[in-house]
Amino acid sequence: MEIILLVAIGIIAGFLGALLGIGGGSIIVPILVTFLHYPMHTAVAIGLLTIVATSVSVAHVNILKGLVNLELSLILEFLTVIASIVGGFIGNKLDNNTLQIIFGIILSIISLIYIKESIRPKIESNIIKDKNSFFYDEYYDFDLKKYVGYSPINIIKTMIVSIMAGTFSGMLGIGGGILKVPAMNLLSKIPIKVAIATSNYMIGITAASGSIPYIIHGKISPAASIYMIVGVIFGSKVALIKFNKIKDKKLKILFGLFLIFVSLNMLYKGLMR
């Protein structure tokens, strides 16, 4: 029965993870801890491995579609990887409750900011289109039926958030996308679909780096990881089919609601135990 549950959770996590650019760790970790009673550190380790699976499943397709800003992702990911390894070692030193409370507080703040900004009308009208920028790129938007150009701004601020994302990814098994997507969309003014696709490309490297300390400390559960990865791969493939058909505003609302759910869930667990 547990095998079926693990695969089913993997499918859901893979679908939402690929659709929102978060990798699925934010779904997997709370469920494994709350309902299947896995130790927090083991759940984090499993979450990180499944994030790698999500990234591998969707990244190459998004690159071919031109949705990934490779120049920006390389700079952000370099910082995130280093922070993720450090975060992994920090996470192994902290107790479960402390990890959950830290996760919940940070994510609650991000949730409120993202929801507030997402409900503002015509947020995408703020997109900068400087073709002389090193980071300038464009993609074909199937919803708008035209090519959309953009130039990321506030790169330094987004880099700082990426360092935070890497640290919390290693500590909490969340892949970093749950922080990077809002940062790229709100701070750097990148279209939401590009932010999600670029995040999906980066989170695999982040999660692989963050899992190193957990492997060293023997926190990995190979059997559970394999079952969940099978589900994640299937779920992420389905998400790829739906991704281009969903309007940007719906993606923003879905992402914001998910942030609230995860933050409140982790805060509750951390404070009640």
Side-chain angles (χ1 to χ4, degrees):
M1 184 62 179
E2 184 173 330
I3 294 176
I4 296 175
L5 283 174
L6 289 171
V7 174
I9 294 168
I11 291 174
I12 296 171
F15 178 79
L16 290 176
L19 196 66
L20 301 177
I22 56 175
S26 308
I27 305 166
I28 289 170
V29 175
I31 291 178
L32 289 181
V33 173
T34 305
F35 300 107
L36 298 184
H37 308 295
Y38 276 71
M40 181 66 176
H41 295 97
T42 301
V44 168
I46 294 173
L48 288 169
L49 291 180
T50 55
I51 288 167
V52 176
T54 302
S55 180
V56 170
S57 299
V58 303
H60 66 288
V61 177
N62 286 331
I63 291 174
L64 291 175
K65 290 180 179 179
L67 287 168
V68 178
N69 190 308
L70 293 173
E71 291 80 7
L72 180 63
S73 68
L74 291 175
I75 292 178
L76 297 182
E77 192 56 22
F78 173 75
L79 299 171
T80 308
V81 165
I82 296 174
S84 180
I85 295 174
V86 174
F89 282 107
I90 294 174
N92 274 282
K93 300 296 183 181
L94 298 176
D95 62 86
N96 290 356
N97 283 19
T98 302
L99 285 175
Q100 291 166 346
I101 292 170
I102 292 173
F103 187 14
I105 291 173
I106 295 295
L107 208 52
S108 295
I109 296 171
I110 298 295
S111 301
L112 294 175
I113 295 173
Y114 195 80
I115 290 293
K116 178 182 176 182
E117 293 297 326
S118 296
I119 60 177
R120 288 184 179 181
K122 299 181 180 180
I123 187 172
E124 296 292 11
S125 63
N126 294 326
I127 294 175
I128 309 299
K129 299 179 181 180
D130 178 12
K131 292 187 177 183
N132 294 320
S133 169
F134 174 74
F135 298 106
Y136 176 83
D137 205 349
E138 60 182 24
Y139 72 102
Y140 185 79
D141 191 305
F142 287 89
D143 179 34
L144 300 176
K145 294 181 173 57
K146 66 177 183 178
Y147 280 94
V148 177
Y150 63 92
S151 300
I153 60 173
N154 298 322
I155 304 298
I156 300 298
K157 292 180 180 179
T158 303
M159 288 168 64
I160 293 172
V161 174
S162 293
I163 293 173
M164 292 173 56
T167 304
F168 283 107
S169 171
M171 289 170 61
L172 304 165
I174 60 174
I178 206 162
L179 297 178
K180 283 193 217 175
V181 172
M184 287 187 285
N185 183 223
L186 300 182
L187 292 178
S188 291
K189 304 301 181 184
I190 293 176
I192 185 65
K193 288 180 180 176
V194 175
I196 289 173
T198 303
S199 174
N200 270 325
Y201 172 71
M202 292 190 287
I203 56 176
I205 303 172
T206 305
S209 304
S211 67
I212 293 173
Y214 292 93
I215 295 173
I216 293 174
H217 286 87
K219 303 294 185 181
I220 299 292
S221 174
S225 300
I226 291 172
Y227 296 136
M228 297 207 77
I229 286 173
V230 170
V232 162
I233 292 175
F234 178 79
S236 59
K237 293 296 184 184
V238 175
L240 276 176
I241 299 173
K242 300 290 184 181
F243 186 66
N244 285 323
K245 300 177 181 179
I246 300 179
K247 294 182 179 296
D248 288 1
K249 189 172 182 63
K250 289 184 177 179
L251 277 175
K252 288 174 181 289
I253 294 172
L254 181 60
F255 191 90
L257 292 175
F258 179 75
L259 285 177
I260 292 175
F261 166 75
V262 175
S263 62
L264 293 179
N265 181 269
M266 293 303 280
L267 265 179
Y268 173 79
K269 288 186 296 182
L271 294 172
M272 295 301 292
R273 291 187 177 182

